[in-house]
Amino acid sequence: MRRRLLFGERMLLGDGTEPFNAVIAFRLRGDFKEEDIRHALNRIQEKHPWLRALITRDEKNLPWFEVPQQAVPIPVRIVTRKGEDDWQEESRKEWQTIFDHENLPLIRFVWIRGEGISDMLFAFHHCLSDGGSAMAFLYEFLKVLDNPVADIGIENPILGIEDVVPSSILTNRRQRLKAKFIGRIAATAIKYFPMRKKAIDRQNDYLIHWKFDQQTTQQLISYCKSMGVTVNTFLSATLLEAFKKVRGTAAFNKVSCPVDIRRFATQIKEDHIFAFGLMITISSNEKKSFSDNLPLMQESVDRDTSRLNPYMTMMVMESGHDALENFTKLLKKGKSVNDCMFSNLGRIQIPHEYRQFIVDTIFSPSVIGPLGNTTTMVASTYRGEMDFSFMGSEGYLPHSEALAIRDELIQSITLKTEYTAVSSLS
C-alpha cells in the first residue's frame, strides 16, 4: 500500500533533514510490562497502515507513504522517571530527533518508567498526523493496554485527494479550472513576496506548561457562555491582549487558529490518520475594550469559518506542487506576520478509569518545526481541567517574554472569571 504525499504533507516533511515533530504526553497510575506496551503499539499499527509506513521517493524525487510487507515496529525508548517534569525534557528531546523515515515509522514511543506511576509520550512527524488523529490512536492504545484483545477495528485509510474531495467536485471542469487559476496566481505572488536573505536563527526552543483546576476551568466556560462566545474565541482574545501588553508595538495583533477539517469534510473520519488542516486568523479592534471586542471577534470567527472550503483548498494546493519550494522558502524567510498559532483541542473524550490503570492526566500536545515563527499555544481539557502547552524559540519570542505572556494570560483569565463568579452570586 502506498500513496503520494499531498502538498501540505510534503511541506511539513520538507527534505526530511529538519524535524517537524509533535508530542503527546500522558501520565498513568499503575504498573506496566514492556511486552504489554509493545503489544498495544503493534495493535494500533495493525489498525492504521500509515503508522507502519516509511517514506520512499519516486524517479521524480517525490515522496510517498509506503507500507512495507514486513512491518517495522514502533520504536520504544525507556527512561527512568526522576520527577514530575521529566516529560517536558523528553518532549524537547523528541522535537529535535529527526525521523529515519526511510527505515523506521514516522512515530516513536517513550516510556518514562516509575514505581506505580509512568509518564508516556507519543512522538510523531507532523506530516503523518494532526492532533485529532493522534487522540484517536492514543485512545486505542490505552484501550488495548488495558485489554490486550479489545476490538479497535481496522482503518480504511485515505489513499489520496479522491478519498476526501467528492468526485462531483474533483472531476468538475469548472472547479478544476478555478483551482488551477487560483493556484497559479498564488504561485506567482509567492515568487515576488519580500524575503530575508536567510532564515531567522531560532536559537533555543522551549516548552512552558500550566493547568487550570476544575473550578477555574468551569468559571472560564461559564464566563464564555455569559458573553456569548466560544472558549476558543475568548482564549484567542486574551492571548492577543497578553501579547500586546508584553510586547507593545512589536505585537502583530494576529493569532492563527487551525480549524479541524473533519467539521467540513465528513469523508475524513475521527480515526483516520491524516494531517491536513484549515486555518483562520483572529485579530482585535485595538480601539475597543476587551468586552466590546469579544462579540465582534466571534462574528468574525463565525464568518471566516463558514467561508472555509476544504475541497477547493485541497484542489488549489494539489495544483501547486511545482510551487512548493518557493512556498517553503517564503515560510522560512518571510517576515513574521502573526504573534502566535493557537489550537484548542477542546474536551478530550478518553476514559479516566480503566481496569488495569488510571489516566491521571493528558498533557496538551506540543509541536515545533522549521517553517517560520515557532510560537504556538495548544489548549485541551481533560477531567475538567484546562491544560496549556506554550512552545517557542528564543529567536522569535524570548523565553522571558513568553513567561510574561503566560503570567499575563493567567492573571487576565483569573480576574475575569472570578469577577463573573462573584457577580453571579450577588
Side-chain angles (χ1 to χ4, degrees), residues 6-13 127 275-276 317-318 321 324:
L6 301 173
F7 181 95
E9 295 165 338
R10 283 186 63 196
M11 180 185 70
L12 295 170
L13 176 67
C127 77
F276 186 90
M317 294 177 77
E318 288 309 291
H321 276 268
L324 180 66

Side-chain angles (χ1 to χ4, degrees), residues 65-82:
F65 289 123
E66 184 162 351
V67 180
Q69 289 187 342
Q70 185 67 39
V72 180
I74 293 173
V76 177
R77 182 165 62 89
I78 303 174
V79 297
T80 300
R81 191 175 191 271
K82 299 175 183 175

